[in-house]
Amino acid sequence: MFIKSLAAKIFAKIVVSKIRKWSQNPVKTQQKVFKTLISEAKNTAFGKDHNFDAIQSPADYAQKVPIRDYEELKPYVDRVVLGEENILWPGKPLYFAKTSGTTSGAKYIPITKESMPHHVEAARNAILSYIHETGNADFVDGKMIFLQGSPEMTEKNGIKLGRLSGIVAHYVPAYLQKNRMPSWETNCIDDWETKVDAIVEETKAENMTVISGIPSWVQMYFERLRANTGKDVGDLFKNFQLFIYGGVNYEPYRAKFESLIGRKVDSIELFPASEGFFAFQDKQDANGMLLLLDSGIFYEFIEAEHFFDENPDRLTIGDVKIGVNYVMVVSTNAGLWAYNVGDTIQFTSTKPYRVIVSGRIKHFISAFGEHVIGKEVEQAMQEAIKQHGFSISEFTVAPQTNPEEGLPYHEWFIEFESEPESLQKIENTINKAMQQQNSYYLDLIEGKILQPLQIRQLKKDSFTQYMKSQGKLGGQNKLPRLANDRKIAEQLISLQD
């Protein structure tokens, strides 16, 4: 056994012991985080404006601090961007993670010296938890690739500015630097397709053991590896053992991945965001990811179906229930306060608290009151793949409210890897799975308000072309799984000509 892998096993045991300690005391852990956040920020502009001095409990906090999204927090963020200190958090942030906004253009999410370590530790601890559970640490001696954004940064009023994945690249531990790929120069290439081709050239002869990234973009890398070498990824990288991913559900891609690899490999799911690293998969056989309650983040949860009510109940960790769709609201040591991240989650366990990402509060279909969410369409797709043995590159769903004939329906835009045997059978399976999961959808079908869903088969590379047209090809960009309008749908249709 190599020294590095032996050290990893010892370190993993220590880290998992610490995780077990706080995860067994979830309410107490969150109370401690809450008190620390309020105490640290009470003399900031935000803390004074919201009377942090008088806040003693989460109930007080809910009364004094309304839920905000980025647009509503923006007046404070703008002051930080201009260089003011002590606005949202003491001093100035170390970085701004720049992300794509909706109505405001670019979003600048602060990352502080207090919050940055948690981004790094969470990713590390996910791998160490895997090592401790499986006893497998050999992969730490091989090469690791992280498909991510450029690490190059600019500066704005003394604060460094970049993509989150690029910022994190500066914190790769020294003992992993020799293992890490691609090279710094390749990582700095802006054009995604050029970058992937360069990564293929750099890695195809290496002993790759760990590969990480958003599934859709890793799939592109795998496809180009096979086109370049004529080999399955698993034959090319005989010691490839672990795939680490986040951002989207892996299941719709799993069949295609295993086809490209030529065998199964273990995987670890992560739940990172610019606003914080929220959860990671701590057990290979557990459903869901461990919610990180000891990482400088205080969580509140609002039932998604009541989120747009005037004064919805704001629940803390001890109040949540398994299987309910919640909007996740965070307050962090980066200076985000009662901040709506936009994600919806469901708890799969409360001992310890594990979650799955069920969708986005703004990404749903309810053109007729059906309240369809991302988790439901992904699970339905997974069921169809399981039954009919096909594989896909990507898919998204939109309502067709004004068909040329017949009742409205949900239109599923699917890019298949190969010609499916029967679209009708796939439609029937997906439709059945949707009705089983969503009683509103079932009622609308049975009440003859909607007709069963229809699949529109897309030509190869349609989704890649769409993302490229939006300037969102590669990196951490993700395609919305579903939308309540037809903006994406119409652009995809235009690409079929």
Side-chain angles (χ1 to χ4, degrees), residues 136-418:
N136 176 23
D138 295 344
F139 62 85
V140 303
D141 294 303
K143 297 288 187 179
M144 305 179 185
I145 187 168
F146 301 91
L147 294 178
Q148 57 193 191
S150 171
E152 290 187 310
M153 289 189 281
T154 56
E155 197 166 290
K156 205 172 186 72
N157 294 316
I159 302 169
K160 292 180 179 178
L161 171 67
R163 300 286 181 182
L164 175 65
S165 60
I167 293 169
V168 172
H170 291 264
Y171 287 83
V172 175
Y175 61 85
L176 287 181
Q177 286 289 2
K178 290 183 179 179
N179 301 62
R180 177 174 172 268
M181 299 196 79
S183 66
W184 188 267
E185 292 74 21
T186 295
N187 227 2
C188 290
I189 296 173
D190 281 328
D191 181 75
W192 182 252
E193 292 183 287
T194 304
K195 183 173 183 172
V196 172
D197 288 338
I199 292 172
V200 166
E201 290 301 320
E202 282 192 3
T203 58
K204 64 183 182 181
E206 297 289 346
N207 176 31
M208 304 303 303
T209 56
V210 177
I211 296 172
S212 175
I214 289 177
S216 51
W217 306 128
V218 175
Q219 181 173 309
M220 179 187 286
Y221 166 59
F222 284 173
E223 288 171 341
R224 296 201 178 185
L225 272 171
R226 190 157 73 174
N228 184 286
T229 66
K231 294 183 178 180
D232 285 347
V233 174
D235 290 334
L236 192 64
F237 304 142
K238 296 186 182 299
N239 297 313
F240 173 36
Q241 301 174 38
L242 187 61
F243 172 50
I244 303 173
Y245 69 95
V248 298
N249 186 359
Y250 178 39
E251 292 309 318
Y253 304 92
R254 188 180 291 275
K256 176 60 178 177
F257 263 62
E258 291 177 357
S259 170
L260 288 166
I261 297 166
R263 54 183 166 84
K264 293 183 178 181
V265 297
D266 285 346
S267 61
I268 301 175
E269 183 176 9
L270 310 178
F271 185 7
S274 300
E275 295 87 353
F277 203 123
F278 303 126
F280 62 73
Q281 182 182 351
D282 64 316
K283 294 287 185 182
Q284 286 291 292
D285 59 353
N287 179 23
M289 297 170 282
L290 182 71
L291 188 65
L292 302 181
L293 303 175
D294 190 37
S295 295
I297 301 170
F298 174 68
Y299 298 90
E300 295 174 278
F301 307 94
I302 299 169
E303 290 188 25
E305 64 180 71
H306 296 299
F307 182 72
F308 295 105
D309 293 355
E310 190 170 343
N311 288 300
D313 289 338
R314 291 163 62 169
L315 307 178
T316 54
I317 195 66
D319 304 315
V320 298
K321 297 177 181 178
I322 291 173
V324 176
N325 206 37
Y326 293 108
V327 176
M328 191 171 75
V329 175
V330 301
S331 299
T332 78
N333 56 7
L336 301 178
W337 300 104
Y339 186 88
N340 172 21
V341 179
D343 290 303
T344 58
I345 58 96
Q346 292 180 7
F347 286 90
T348 59
S349 165
T350 56
K351 292 183 178 180
Y353 284 89
R354 293 194 180 98
V355 300
I356 57 170
V357 180
S358 54
R360 299 278 293 170
I361 192 61
K362 292 183 178 178
H363 293 168
F364 58 89
I365 298 178
S366 199
F368 306 93
E370 59 269 49
H371 308 298
V372 168
I373 61 174
K375 171 181 173 288
E376 293 166 349
V377 299
E378 288 183 334
Q379 195 164 315
M381 176 62 79
Q382 189 177 335
E383 181 63 30
I385 289 171
K386 181 180 176 182
Q387 283 197 32
H388 303 292
F390 61 92
S391 60
I392 64 170
S393 294
E394 190 58 277
F395 80 100
T396 192
V397 186
Q400 174 51 274
T401 56
N402 295 298
E404 291 183 5
E405 59 181 53
L407 295 171
Y409 57 89
H410 287 184
E411 190 167 18
W412 288 55
F413 295 81
I414 306 176
E415 184 181 320
F416 292 92
E417 279 300 316
S418 56

